[in-house]
Each structure stands twice: as structure tokens, then as C-alpha cells.
Amino acid sequence: MTLAETLVVLGVLHGAVGRAMRARGDATWRLRDTALVSPLLLVGLFLCFASLNHGMLRYALDVERGHGGGTHLAGAVVVAAVGLVAAWFGARAVGKLY
């Protein structure tokens, strides 16, 4: 699930970056080129999505079992925030293309 979410973001990003790069005259811009612009963005988003998916699933299973504590969910949210910060720094590299 996390990989699919990250690939969707990459596809959307490729639409914007690819259009801009083709407008600048680089007709050979590919999805791989977009992915290599900022690996930190993709790794940060992957970490964020993985943490949120894990946290929601674990919380749902804990509630079902009657152990509805939010400690694990809070930890997952913190890790997701760290992933977003990493993704933000990676997005700055993408912003420098424009």
C-alpha cells in the first residue's frame, strides 16, 4: 500500500516537473529522471506513508482487541512527522528546478 501511495505521488510530480522540463526543451525527460531529482523527497514520503499506514492498522487491531491505548499511534504520528520534514527538504530540490 505504501509503495502504491508513493508511486502515485511520483506520477503526479512527474506530470508537473515533466511538463516544465519539456517546456525548457528537454524532450527526453522520463519518470526515472523525476525520481532522481530528489530521492530524499520520495524516501521521506515513503517513511511518512508507511508510518501512518502501520499506525492506523495497529490502532485498529488494538481497539478490536480491547487495548485501545494511543501510545503506539502517537509514536507512528511522530515518525510520520519526521518523514514529512525529510520530504520537505527533498521538495526544496524539486523547487529549484523551477
Side-chain angles (χ1 to χ4, degrees):
M1 179 66 157
T2 301
L3 184 60
E5 293 166 342
T6 306
L7 289 176
V8 166
V9 170
L10 177 61
V12 170
L13 180 66
H14 176 65
V17 172
R19 191 175 315 116
M21 295 309 281
R22 283 188 288 278
R24 290 183 180 172
D26 188 3
T28 61
W29 192 263
R30 297 177 304 230
L31 186 65
R32 183 182 73 193
D33 299 324
T34 302
L36 291 175
V37 166
S38 180
L40 183 61
L41 172 65
L42 296 176
V43 169
L45 287 175
F46 187 87
L47 177 65
C48 177
F49 292 147
S51 175
L52 290 178
N53 290 339
H54 171 75
M56 288 187 296
L57 179 64
R58 175 76 186 259
Y59 184 71
L61 292 175
D62 285 349
V63 167
E64 183 180 321
R65 293 180 194 142
H67 309 294
T71 306
H72 191 80
L73 183 61
V77 169
V78 168
V79 172
V82 169
L84 281 179
V85 169
W88 181 77
F89 280 106
R92 290 182 58 185
V94 174
K96 292 181 184 203
L97 282 176
Y98 293 107

